[in-house]
Amino acid sequence: MYRLDAALRTSERRPATVIVDLGQRSAALEPGDRPGAENLLENLRGRAALTEIVLDDANNDLLLVYRAARAADAEGAGGILFRRHCAGDPCTGEQPSAVRSLASILYDSLRTDTPNTPLVAHVALALRAIVPGTPAPVDPVITRGGLASWQERRAVAYMEERLDQSFPVSAVADACGLSVNHFSRAFRRSMGKPPHRWLLDRRIERAQALLRSSDMSLADVALACGFAEQSHFTRVFTRTVGLPPGAWRRTAD
């Protein structure tokens, strides 16, 4: 079902690697055959800092490495390894649907010739927030007036899990233990945009992934991305991307 870009295809022992910088909230892609890739995986296992998950429908193993904000923790704050099969006891069993859905988006993003690294980073961070047993990250310095790191992770995870649903900002604020006004101001300081704008951008990013990797109708894509009407989806997509979704899909093929 899934296949990685040729530069990221993996061998049995050396999975492709996504390095997630927890301080910058960014992601970088590395091929599985780079020097030290195998040592990194074993180091994470040795420190009990790795969560291993089986995805039966994945054609490749994929390693997410979360690097701490502080240079003192240079080996990283932990990792998640998605495996095609379970090689031993560390692998976890059936995963929540949100984990599988986010993993699907991640693999689909990496299939493209030019992976959307901001999208990869967002999905990787959301996975870190919701995967059971993932080692707690070292907290980066909190932006003055912004969200605490745990609130930021919870807000992102809450919205990522509900991209296909309608919900008020107050629900996200409640999940973070803040009033709506406080949450909205803090979210904007931390993320650079208000919650509603961030959510719309993520829904459009998900729509792009679905348009590129599936033959779903525009109406179904709209519903899967939280838009009640195709016309609203088309307006937002066109305003954000610069092309209507149908035209964009033809250029992406």
Side-chain angles (χ1 to χ4, degrees):
M1 180 177 178
Y2 303 114
R3 57 182 176 81
L4 296 181
D5 180 80
L8 295 172
R9 289 180 184 169
T10 66
S11 67
E12 184 70 17
R13 297 176 64 193
R14 295 180 176 179
T17 303
V18 175
I19 304 293
V20 184
D21 187 313
L22 294 173
Q24 298 297 321
R25 303 186 64 81
S26 61
L29 312 179
E30 296 188 357
D33 58 355
R34 67 172 182 81
E38 189 175 342
N39 291 339
L40 174 59
L41 183 56
E42 293 308 313
N43 178 277
L44 289 167
R45 281 200 180 107
R47 293 190 292 114
L50 184 69
T51 299
E52 301 189 41
I53 294 173
V54 177
L55 288 179
D56 293 332
D57 54 354
N59 292 331
N60 300 275
D61 293 353
L62 176 64
L63 174 64
L64 306 182
V65 177
Y66 299 88
R67 293 214 183 280
R70 300 187 180 100
D73 192 17
E75 287 301 321
I80 300 173
L81 175 64
F82 290 104
R83 301 183 61 92
R84 289 169 289 174
H85 60 275
C86 188
D89 293 337
C91 299
T92 58
E94 185 66 23
Q95 293 297 311
S97 59
V99 172
R100 302 187 68 84
S101 177
L102 289 171
S104 174
I105 294 171
L106 187 61
Y107 271 92
D108 286 343
S109 299
L110 295 174
R111 289 175 57 193
T112 64
D113 292 333
T114 55
N116 183 336
T117 49
L119 172 60
V120 170
H122 280 308
V123 174
L125 289 166
L127 280 165
R128 183 176 186 79
I130 64 176
V131 167
T134 305
V138 176
D139 286 344
V141 176
I142 300 173
T143 303
R144 186 174 181 83
L147 297 171
S149 56
W150 71 267
Q151 291 172 324
E152 190 174 321
R153 292 193 302 273
R154 182 168 295 179
V156 168
Y158 187 99
M159 291 189 283
E160 289 281 0
E161 291 180 59
R162 296 165 176 80
L163 289 179
D164 61 342
Q165 303 172 27
S166 176
F167 55 88
V169 173
S170 60
V172 193
D174 287 344
C176 295
L178 299 172
S179 69
V180 173
N181 289 338
H182 187 180
F183 169 75
S184 297
R185 288 194 302 269
F187 187 96
R188 184 166 190 162
R189 281 186 175 273
S190 293
M191 307 297 286
K193 59 184 74 173
H196 178 69
R197 181 72 255 174
W198 186 94
L199 182 60
L200 278 180
D201 287 347
R202 276 294 298 115
R203 284 174 167 161
I204 294 303
E205 288 171 353
R206 181 175 186 180
Q208 288 177 296
L210 292 174
L211 289 169
R212 185 188 292 114
S213 62
S214 76
D215 57 0
M216 293 171 62
S217 69
L218 295 185
D220 287 342
V221 171
L223 289 174
C225 297
F227 294 93
E229 298 178 352
Q230 182 180 333
S231 59
H232 182 211
F233 165 61
T234 299
R235 287 197 302 273
V236 175
F237 190 101
T238 303
R239 185 171 65 243
T240 303
V241 179
L243 287 173
W248 186 90
R249 168 182 263 172
R250 290 190 292 272
T251 65
D253 289 340

